[in-house]
Amino acid sequence: MWLTLTRIFPYAIAYTIPMLVTSLGGLYSERSGVTNIGLEGLMLVGYFATAITIKLTEATLGINALALGVMVGVLAGAVFSLLHAFASINLKADQIISGTAINMLASALTVYLARTISGSGNVRILMGIVRKNIPVLSRIPILGPLFFSQTYWTTWLCLLIWGLSWILLYKTSFGLRLRACGEHPSAVASAGVNVHMMRYFGVIMSGSLAGLGGSVILITYSGEFNGTVAGLGFLSLAALIFGQWKPLGILGATFFFGIATTIANVSQVIPSLNIVPPVVFKIFPYVATLLALVLFSKKSAAPKAAGDTF
Amino acid sequence: MSEIENKEMKSNAFLVAISAVVLGLIAGAVLMALIGSNPFTGFWFLFRGGLMNIERVGNTLATATNLMLVGLSVAFAFRTGLFNIGASGQMLVGGLCATLVAHHVFLPRPLYLVVLILSGLLGGAVWGIIPGFLKAKFNVHEVVATIMMNWIAYWSVYYFVPAYLKGPSLETESASIAIEQTLRSPWLTKLFPGSYINLGFLVAIASVIIIKFILDKTTLGFELKAVGSNRFCAEYAGIRVNKNVVLSMMIAGGLAGLAGLSFYTGYSRNMQIGVLPSQGFDGIAVALLGASNPLGVLFSSLFFGVLQSGKGFMNAMTKVPPEIADTIISVIIYFTATSVLFKRLWEALFKILSRKKAVRDAKPTNNKEVK
């Protein structure tokens, strides 16, 4: 059992991290008062932009192409999210429709460009991140093999962003204002805060972080752009809800979902996990989210003004 | 007075739809030009691909069939103030039920067709009723609930098809349905030789008529629309809002289930796993462009049907990738969502025009007064 656990744990973390940052992006957006169901599309844009950048530069830049790819992925996600921000903040559009349009546009446009650039709809990169053991820490019994062995640098970057975001959102006055925009925007406006600017910040953060999520998928476990992130964006949205719109909540939720996904993927090869059909693990996150919504329906933690125009 | 306002609103919806389509086509043209293709030849082949001969018209109608049913589903939910983003999942479940029936139920043709259609309808309705119930009973937002239901359907089909419906060759798709067990019908195929057109088209047309009748001529339709325009007012008037929410989602789910039926047992003959049918989202565009009106849905689904079925031909004749059609559709959705933009534009334009007209009309009367 211990051996199984140490073997699947790095995979679980690899699945968790892209969801965690994307979900965190969703947190910024929804806390500022803009519902964002376009996370899937924004993730896909980051995924695509990173793939193209690395493909074009890996011959000259070598390993540095990965870092450049991540930066371009983040930027592409941010730029694409401006479409959603403009529609839902300035034009007071229905945010669900706008988000749907973002998802559809991303999946059509990225494949359109991929076909034009590489001939087929797929973009394969030659290298990924080398996994490293963290010195000293990886030798701690139990925790070492689970958390500090065979890790990607992106994992630590994303965890750092998660920690900083928590401080920004919950320990600074800026964070308080941002969250207030999602609860009672007119009150914040009367205090002299520019609600539109705050919401722009929230949406752009969601775009950049979802873009980062897409990049991380590519350079850690996927290695190839294939036109879809297979619902990971929606899974991140589920994690945001299951985690009740709180940083610690989404950390727990994404980790939970990451483990479930990993178990579903490997249960065919590992006999001790073969008792439960994999479909149970795959649908578990969605069912759990629905149940959480039912359970918390009386005192929903959702930002009160999320989805409302201002 | 209200009639005039109504007319103005209708022309407004029409103008918004046209503006969104034009902008979508322009975006498509820009994208084609961007990769060095001539947009005019691109569009020429796109529309020819959908309409150039009787076989292609048949395929366009078959493509439009699926879009029409999903569009109706989304539009129907919209009228009750609900956003059914779960049409994909409802399609999958309806299609799965219909595929099961097609493989295992053998009856005389007319009776068989009834059972087949009912199975698709029921599968979708069950998948729609769950979010409806959660919304009515626990106030769970239907958008979130239907997204979750989509992925539950996706993964259920992903594991169900290889386990119980596996085809002889590929692991990733179900066994093909015998042609006599599908919705294809000899006389329709004879009418449009070589095309995918099937009885689903008649089901879709019948659904448009039935939904129009329900919305415009029945108490149920009135209640649903009342809930959609103001649920508190409806509640005050004694309408049972929760019952209507569940009913609306059930009917919307059933319509999407019919789309699954027509797609998986008519248009194609097997189910591929690992694909969330994109029609579920295209249907949102159909409903929006059709202003959630059954007749509007009919026409907009035909338009999108041309785009979707012509893209393959365009791709073969030019260098433009087929995803241009999906890009145009998503741009159209984006611009219908931001319709405020053109509403303002058109209103400003009308104001200027009517002011000019008023000035022109006013001048002679002024002259008379002076005299």
Side-chain angles (χ1 to χ4, degrees), chain A residues 28 30-33 169-170 172-189 191 193 195 198-199 303-306 310:
Chain A
Y28 272 102
E30 303 222 343
R31 279 289 177 192
S32 77
L169 285 172
Y170 286 85
T172 65
S173 56
F174 176 81
L176 183 65
R177 285 183 196 140
L178 185 98
R179 285 183 292 129
C181 287
E183 301 289 340
H184 205 316
S186 27
V188 194
V193 176
V195 175
M198 285 302 216
R199 289 191 165 181
K304 282 186 190 61
F310 177 74

Side-chain angles (χ1 to χ4, degrees), chain B residues 46-65 68 188-189 191-198 201 267 301-310 313:
Chain B
L46 183 62
F47 285 101
R48 266 189 77 187
L51 300 166
M52 89 183 147
N53 57 33
I54 201 80
E55 179 196 340
R56 287 188 183 272
V57 171
N59 285 343
T60 298
L61 290 180
T63 314
T65 301
M68 206 182 296
L188 261 176
T189 313
L191 218 54
F192 299 93
S195 77
Y196 303 118
I197 194 164
N198 56 72
F201 183 65
Y267 185 85
S301 68
L302 288 174
F303 171 67
F304 287 135
V306 172
L307 292 187
Q308 286 289 19
S309 84
F313 181 67

